[in-house]
Structures are given as C-alpha cells and as structure tokens.
Amino acid sequence: MSNMVDPLVARIGARVRDERERRRWTLAQLAEASGVSRAMIHRIERGESSPTAVVLGKLSGAFRISVSSLMAMAEETTGGGTVRTGEGAEWRDPATGYSRRQISGARFPADIAEVRLPAGARIPYPAETFAFVRQIVWVLEGRLTFQEGDVTHRLEAGHTLELGAPAACAFVNDGAEECRYAVVRVRSEAP
C-alpha cells in the first residue's frame, strides 16, 4: 500500500475540515448532521480516503452548501488564464467512476464543472445541497436522467435544465454509454 497522498484528495479533506471548523463543529456533530461516520470524516479530512460522490453530497447537505461550492476551492484552477485539456484537477468517485473537473476558477462569479457519469451510475444528493444556489445542467454528450424530487427529466445531448426549488435530486445514467454534462452554479443568496 502506498503512503502517497493524492493532492486533490488532500485538498478536498482540507476543505471539509475548514467548513467544519468554520462552523465550530466537532467531528461528532458533523457525523450526526450528515449521516457519515466520524471515522470516515476523520479519514477524509486527513486525506487518507477519497470520499464518494454520495458522501460528498451528505457532507454538503449538512453544511447547506452545494457540492460544487464544497469542491470549488479544492479543485481551484489558477484562474485568469487558459486551462488546457488535462491541466485542470479531476476528481474521480472511487465507488462509481463518476468524474468531475472544475472549469472556472474560484474568483469567477459562477462555478462551472464538467462531469462524466459512467453507464449505470446513480449519484443522489439531498435537497440541502441545492439551497441558496441557482443551477443549470447542460448535457454535452449521451443521455442523463435527472430526478428532481418527484419529477423525472430525461435529457439528451444539447438539452439544458434549470433546477427549481431545492429538492432531493439524483443524476442517473441508465444508458449504455457515458454521459458528459456541465453544471453551472450561481449563488443566489448567502447561506
């Protein structure tokens, strides 16, 4: 087993720890609020474990911020310049193969991320991760089934969907091919 820590995993862990400490929460308080075990949160914060997309959704929900907001600082691009293919930090969910690459820098007024969702993958997020944000999903390649509360949207390449009021959501690829989409998020008010 390697002792090397993935720099992006370490930055994600630091971001989770910073959010928790900013709220003056203990590990136990975050565990209770998120439904993620204290031991797992501790391993994530130390950069010893890469969280799954579902775990990130639970942590974001507890913080009442979007996954994009949680990830943006960890994935921050240099901003103000050109980011070429392969240069941006890419995070991969160890459970599903879902991958996410931050397109915009932290100083840009919107978070823009490119997501690749493998065939058969389902990524659920609690409603709290969508509080205080306006978000659009733009399918670039493939098909995406987006479950927004009780409503199911079937999106194909070129389709966009502006999310409504916060609701539990799931990004689902029930097709045979990978789906690639962009998420554009703008904070509508301060949490």
Side-chain angles (χ1 to χ4, degrees), residues 64-122:
R64 295 189 51 80
I65 61 175
S66 70
V67 173
S68 291
S69 181
L70 183 66
M71 297 289 288
M73 294 300 283
E75 296 177 320
E76 183 175 347
T77 62
T78 55
T82 301
V83 178
R84 291 173 178 76
T85 302
E87 287 181 349
E90 181 178 57
W91 174 79
R92 185 170 303 277
D93 179 347
T96 64
Y98 158 105
S99 67
R100 182 183 188 289
R101 182 172 70 95
Q102 188 69 19
I103 302 299
S104 59
R107 292 173 295 230
F108 193 72
D111 285 329
I112 304 171
E114 174 190 31
V115 178
R116 292 179 180 273
L117 190 62
R122 181 179 189 278

Side-chain angles (χ1 to χ4, degrees), residues 19-89:
E19 282 297 323
R20 178 179 61 79
E21 290 175 350
R22 188 172 73 81
R23 289 165 173 75
R24 296 189 170 133
W25 288 358
T26 64
L27 283 171
Q29 288 171 312
L30 178 55
E32 184 176 330
S34 67
V36 176
S37 75
R38 227 174 60 199
M40 176 55 74
I41 295 168
H42 181 69
R43 286 193 302 273
I44 290 167
E45 287 186 357
R46 293 174 52 90
E48 296 171 354
S49 180
S50 180
T52 64
V54 172
V55 167
L56 284 175
K58 289 179 177 184
L59 293 171
S60 296
F63 292 140
R64 295 189 51 80
I65 61 175
S66 70
V67 173
S68 291
S69 181
L70 183 66
M71 297 289 288
M73 294 300 283
E75 296 177 320
E76 183 175 347
T77 62
T78 55
T82 301
V83 178
R84 291 173 178 76
T85 302
E87 287 181 349

